[in-house]
Amino acid sequence: MNAPEKILVLGIGNELRGEDGIGIYLARKLKALSIPGVRVEEHSGEGTSLLERLSQYNAVLLLDCVYADRPLGEIVEIDLTNGFLSREQVYSSSHQFGVSEAVRLAGVLGKLPERCRLVGIV
């Protein structure tokens, strides 16, 4: 019998920085639903601690505000299982060593979850 899948939903951002708090807001709404088998947490987006969180789960869904050449409010879903978030997909981050860098490094180090996706709101 297989062990239960460890799933993490991680709301990323800073609620004190306007739209950058959307990931935190969404995480709080999801946490209130108490979905069985899913852990929901908030995260600042700081890359080194994010790297550690990614390596502890089989599946991770990241919720974040993104800056991209798309209409405001558009929802962007990106598969990160290849360990790469291109600048064409999301071209800016408010984090110095943030989501993109943590995902890339997790891929290189073999610490990326089997399933990893980013859902961003432009």
Side-chain angles (χ1 to χ4, degrees):
M1 179 179 227
N2 293 338
E5 185 172 46
K6 292 171 60 175
I7 301 171
L8 174 67
V9 175
L10 205 54
I12 298 173
N14 181 337
E15 65 185 327
L16 301 177
R17 295 183 61 196
E19 69 274 0
D20 190 46
I22 190 67
I24 300 295
Y25 173 81
L26 293 171
R28 289 177 182 165
K29 293 292 185 185
L30 286 172
K31 190 170 192 167
L33 297 175
S34 299
I35 303 167
V38 177
R39 182 173 178 89
V40 181
E41 296 180 2
E42 299 175 21
H43 196 279
S44 69
E46 189 279 317
T48 53
S49 65
L50 180 57
L51 176 65
E52 180 62 29
R53 298 304 294 145
L54 290 173
S55 68
Q56 296 174 356
Y57 290 84
N58 302 98
V60 176
L61 177 63
L62 305 173
L63 307 172
D64 199 2
C65 173
V66 297
Y67 301 95
D69 191 19
R70 295 172 181 240
L72 293 178
E74 184 172 321
I75 296 172
V76 178
E77 185 178 354
I78 302 168
D79 183 0
L80 301 174
T81 54
N82 65 358
F84 187 68
L85 181 60
S86 76
R87 292 184 81 54
E88 289 77 33
Q89 294 168 313
V90 177
Y91 64 78
S92 181
S93 171
S94 63
H95 314 288
Q96 293 293 332
F97 179 81
V99 174
S100 181
E101 294 81 8
V103 167
R104 190 172 297 126
L105 187 54
V108 169
L109 297 175
K111 293 187 172 205
L112 201 59
E114 296 169 23
R115 297 185 307 159
C116 188
R117 299 188 80 73
L118 169 72
V119 173
I121 299 176
V122 178

